[in-house]
Amino acid sequence: MLPLITIPLLLGWLLSRRCLNRSDWLSVTGETIALALVLTLVGVNGCLRLLGSQVHFGLNSLELSVWLTLFLQGVCSAWLLWKIPSETRRSPLDRRAWRSIVVLSVSVLLFTNAQQIANIDDDYWIHAPLQGLMRSGNFPPFNPYFSDLPMIGHYGRNLAIASFSFLSGWDVFLSQHLLTSGLQLTTLWLFFGTFLRASNRWQAALLGTGFLYFGINAGGRAGLIDTMQNNNAFVHLYLALLLSLTVEVWKNGSRTATILAGLCLGSYAIVYETHFGLVFLTILTATPILWSRGLIGKKQALTSLGILAVAAPLALTQGGPLTQIAQKALHRTEAGQVQTLSKGMQNQSQSLAISFPKKNLFQILLEPGEYQRVSHIYTLNTPLKLLYTPPSTDRGYAYIWSWAVLKIHFLPLYLLPFSVFILWRKGSFEGLFLGVFGTISFLTPALVNFGPIYESEYYRWEFAASLGFAGALGLALGVVSELRPTAPFAVRRGRLVVRRDGFKVILICLIALLNSWAGLHFVSGRLSKALRQAPNNWLVFPSTQDWLTRHRVLDFDNLDYSAAAWLKKAVRPGDRLLTNFDQENNFSILFESTLTGLTGARCVGHALPTDKEAIGTTPFRRGPAAVLFWDAFRGEPLRQLEVNWVYY
């Protein structure tokens, strides 16, 4: 099956090389992989929503959906090969651009692999079982522990991993590791290639991309290099691809780029619905600005709005929170119905309720915890530590201009006026996209209430805001770095002479070093720790059995792995499994998460978290039926839970 991955890759290559006329290998490679993933996800999700969870021709619904998608992609590839000749000549990369991208790529790959080997995924307890269930043909997604609770939130990344697992023949754990590392590199190439095409200067591409990967500085995150687990690698790949395609539409009014960007943006809704809204509003806001300045014509403005016309119907019909909102509006369901659910029910079903404008206008709800509330730069042993103030341990609202919110960020936010001034004068499409994206991200949680659960998820908005601001700052410094033909430095009579452009170089280097200091410190520390923990295996992924049994927090040993391998062959879609799991703490559920990820059997017998427990508490306690069965070994609880398998 693995060779069949060449079909979506061929389609992505044809679209990038022949339809979008990309000429450098960096842009072609990045767009090829990104388009292959996005178009596969669109096809598989669409087929699954038509097929449901039934078995057809001996194949579960996921496997059949993948086959149908590959067939359609093969037809499209054959048509493109026949219809559109290759006319674009290849253009080589500048030697300094080559060196820059190689250094960045090696750094990103080393760190991503090391972190995935050393740590389990963020929110492992929900993602691992969802991937295992989808791989076994369970669709649409329901909560892994409560089969009557549909998962309203984003599931695109889990579906992509399950699809890749089927195509490659590898389990979902190894598939996730390989995809995450690959997409981190692809995102890097997309950003670098987009910035390089725009400016034709390696300095601007290096500064823009470097600030995104090492200089975001939002809370405890350094940048994209250490923000790759959970959904993040997929989220930022989509963002980089949409930036590339949208800029192409603004510059050339390309209809192909319009359709591809619309499909990508529409698919974004099941990967990360918040970023779908952010990019949608970014295009809607930036297009009139560019038109009013005369930077784009009427054709480009209309085609860029065409992106939204393609994306909106797809986002509203393919599942996720936006489909739920559309169905509520269509059937006139009361939005306040979510408020009547218990806190535990809202949390487990990922319920969403939107109100605008919010009651606490221009305020965000800050949760306890230093990691999200203080930029890492203020905690290091530098003079900036004088600005550090410990965050409040209370949960409450704070104005977005208060120090409680501003200290989440660093230079990208503080120097935003400088970035706007430089990029506005330059007329930078990429800078405008990122600047508007960051501004909308910063203001959205201050203007909109997202309900009792997602109102607390302020950090995703703050990181997105800093991402946009960091990219804009890097591009602005790239504009400033444009030097005259004369050298910025010279040696006269044995003395170094600094010319005016030389002072610009020194200033840019100082800003870049200061803004990336926390990121470099964080990344080097994590790599050193990974090397100490596993000196012989910190770069190449071990076998899944070795990786699972190595992490003691999973409580999964070799005998469990052997039992799971046997069970996987016998489990059918929809089978339910009861284990004698412990009732200790949040981490107790990780054993069952691993078991479901390997076998595809749904674990049952859980109780919802109580309303007094914190948001994000896992359902690690036994429900009444499970308690009764394990205490008395009576059969009635098994019939009540509709159990197919008991794991003791």
Side-chain angles (χ1 to χ4, degrees):
M1 289 293 293
L2 186 60
L4 293 178
I5 292 179
T6 56
I7 296 176
L9 289 174
L10 174 62
L11 178 59
W13 182 84
L14 289 170
L15 290 169
S16 176
R17 189 85 174 93
R18 298 192 177 185
C19 297
L20 298 176
N21 297 317
R22 302 297 188 232
S23 58
D24 63 284
W25 73 266
L26 200 59
S27 299
V28 172
T29 304
E31 288 184 346
T32 294
I33 298 173
L35 287 170
L37 182 139
V38 169
L39 295 177
T40 300
L41 185 56
V42 170
V44 171
N45 185 63
C47 292
L48 274 172
R49 295 191 69 79
L50 294 174
L51 296 174
S53 292
Q54 300 300 316
V55 176
H56 306 270
F57 311 110
L59 300 172
N60 66 43
S61 56
L62 174 81
E63 295 166 348
L64 182 57
S65 297
V66 173
W67 277 114
L68 290 173
T69 300
L70 291 178
F71 172 76
L72 293 174
Q73 290 177 336
V75 171
C76 292
S77 299
W79 184 84
L80 289 175
L81 280 169
W82 170 66
K83 196 73 175 177
I84 303 179
S86 178
E87 297 179 353
T88 307
R89 295 183 178 180
R90 292 179 174 85
S91 57
L93 284 181
D94 180 87
R95 184 181 299 176
R96 289 164 296 186
W98 254 105
R99 293 171 181 169
S100 301
I101 196 62
V102 167
V103 171
L104 287 174
S105 298
V106 171
S107 302
V108 169
L109 184 61
L110 287 177
F111 186 83
T112 305
N113 282 11
Q115 289 311 292
Q116 290 193 97
I117 293 171
N119 305 289
I120 64 172
D121 191 30
D122 291 345
D123 289 339
Y124 176 98
W125 69 276
I126 191 73
H127 290 300
L130 278 175
Q131 292 164 18
L133 289 168
M134 287 181 178
R135 177 63 186 87
S136 297
N138 292 274
F139 195 89
F142 282 77
N143 188 291
Y145 310 102
F146 305 101
S147 57
D148 55 344
L149 284 180
M151 295 297 292
I152 301 168
H154 36 255
Y155 61 85
R157 175 244 195 178
N158 295 325
L159 180 57
I161 290 172
S163 303
F164 182 75
S165 173
F166 168 64
L167 274 174
S168 64
W170 297 317
D171 56 73
V172 296
F173 298 96
L174 182 57
S175 297
Q176 175 185 299
H177 293 159
L178 296 177
L179 269 181
T180 301
S181 293
L183 296 189
Q184 279 286 91
L185 284 178
T186 304
T187 304
L188 173 71
W189 298 337
L190 279 171
F191 276 125
F192 197 97
T194 302
F195 298 154
L196 188 60
R197 286 198 311 274
S199 63
N200 201 28
R201 297 179 63 254
W202 69 273
Q203 297 96 328
L206 178 61
L207 284 166
T209 310
F211 272 46
L212 286 174
Y213 271 82
F214 294 92
I216 290 177
N217 288 316
R221 293 289 189 189
L224 297 187
I225 189 169
D226 67 308
T227 310
M228 75 294 195
Q229 293 189 316
N230 207 317
N231 293 298
N232 287 299
F234 283 75
V235 171
H236 300 129
L237 174 84
Y238 267 75
L239 181 61
L241 179 60
L242 280 166
L243 172 64
S244 175
L245 293 174
T246 303
V247 169
E248 179 68 24
V249 173
W250 282 340
K251 288 184 176 179
N252 303 315
S254 168
R255 294 180 181 178
T256 301
T258 299
I259 295 172
L260 292 176
L263 292 174
C264 182
L265 181 56
S267 176
Y268 215 173
I270 61 167
V271 174
Y272 222 52
E273 62 278 358
T274 56
H275 281 52
F276 162 83
L278 292 175
V279 175
F280 194 98
L281 292 174
T282 296
I283 296 174
L284 191 62
T285 303
T287 298
I289 295 175
L290 289 170
W291 188 32
S292 66
R293 282 208 63 199
L295 295 175
I296 62 175
K298 185 177 180 180
K299 175 188 175 182
Q300 288 88 339
L302 291 176
T303 50
S304 61
L305 294 178
I307 297 174
L308 310 183
V310 174
L314 182 60
L316 294 176
T317 56
Q318 66 168 344
L322 296 175
T323 300
Q324 179 203 26
I325 293 172
Q327 290 173 344
K328 284 181 179 181
L330 186 64
H331 298 97
R332 296 181 180 179
T333 306
E334 291 294 331
Q337 187 177 14
V338 173
Q339 306 284 352
T340 64
L341 300 176
S342 70
K343 184 178 174 182
M345 186 75 77
Q346 293 172 22
N347 198 358
Q348 295 303 309
S349 65
Q350 298 178 318
S351 298
L352 181 69
I354 294 178
S355 60
F356 172 82
K358 68 191 298 183
K359 181 180 178 181
N360 303 90
L361 198 59
F362 297 113
Q363 300 178 62
I364 61 174
L365 180 60
L366 296 177
E367 293 285 348
E370 181 171 304
Y371 173 76
Q372 300 184 64
R373 292 179 64 167
V374 182
S375 180
H376 185 59
I377 188 68
Y378 299 117
T379 64
L380 300 180
N381 191 21
T382 70
L384 290 171
K385 197 169 185 178
L386 297 173
L387 299 175
Y388 172 80
T389 56
S392 172
T393 57
D394 297 329
R395 178 175 185 257
Y397 281 92
Y399 283 101
I400 56 174
W401 53 76
S402 66
W403 180 238
V405 174
L406 294 180
K407 68 182 177 182
I408 298 173
H409 305 272
F410 190 47
L411 290 184
L413 174 61
Y414 307 155
L415 296 180
L416 182 61
F418 163 80
S419 303
V420 171
F421 175 75
I422 296 295
L423 296 173
W424 180 263
R425 291 189 60 187
K426 180 69 174 179
S428 169
F429 292 141
E430 296 76 13
L432 180 65
F433 183 100
L434 290 170
V436 173
F437 176 84
T439 302
I440 293 174
S441 303
F442 189 72
L443 294 176
T444 296
L447 302 175
V448 183
N449 187 304
F450 291 94
I453 299 300
Y454 286 106
E455 179 72 354
S456 300
E457 299 239 357
Y458 67 93
Y459 184 65
R460 67 173 68 189
W461 305 101
E462 301 305 315
F463 185 85
S466 275
L467 185 155
F469 298 153
L473 178 57
L475 291 176
L477 291 176
V479 173
V480 174
S481 71
E482 295 178 1
L483 306 177
R484 297 181 181 87
T486 57
F489 305 101
V491 178
R492 293 177 182 172
R493 297 178 181 179
R495 297 176 59 185
L496 179 65
V497 177
V498 181
R499 295 172 178 160
R500 188 173 67 174
D501 285 338
F503 288 107
K504 288 198 298 186
V505 171
I506 294 172
L507 179 61
I508 290 170
C509 291
L510 288 176
I511 293 176
L513 181 61
L514 179 61
N515 195 54
S516 303
W517 185 257
L520 295 172
H521 177 272
F522 183 85
V523 168
S524 60
R526 284 295 186 92
L527 281 177
S528 299
K529 182 179 178 181
L531 185 58
R532 290 195 304 270
Q533 289 178 341
N536 298 322
N537 194 2
W538 65 279
L539 177 59
V540 180
F541 292 116
S543 67
T544 297
Q545 181 175 357
D546 183 27
W547 186 82
L548 291 173
T549 55
R550 177 188 302 177
H551 291 285
R552 295 184 179 180
V553 70
L554 302 179
D555 193 26
F556 207 81
D557 58 29
N558 288 307
L559 185 59
D560 292 312
Y561 187 86
S562 299
W566 180 90
L567 185 60
K568 179 182 179 180
K569 300 175 182 178
V571 165
R572 296 172 296 179
D575 276 9
R576 297 157 70 89
L577 172 72
L578 179 66
T579 75
N580 58 329
F581 58 92
D582 295 326
Q583 304 178 71
E584 295 176 357
N585 53 48
N586 256 342
F587 299 105
S588 301
I589 206 168
L590 297 182
F591 173 85
E592 291 174 278
S593 307
T594 307
L595 195 60
T596 300
L598 288 172
T599 65
R602 182 185 302 278
C603 288
V604 297
H606 295 264
L608 284 167
T610 66
D611 287 352
K612 295 181 180 179
E613 291 177 312
I615 292 173
T617 300
T618 65
F620 64 89
R621 295 187 178 85
R622 290 177 182 171
V627 172
L628 179 59
F629 174 76
W630 291 114
D631 285 350
F633 286 98
R634 294 170 55 183
E636 294 88 347
L638 296 182
R639 286 191 290 273
Q640 179 184 340
L641 294 171
E642 301 178 7
V643 170
N644 302 94
W645 303 90
V646 176
Y647 190 98
Y648 181 78

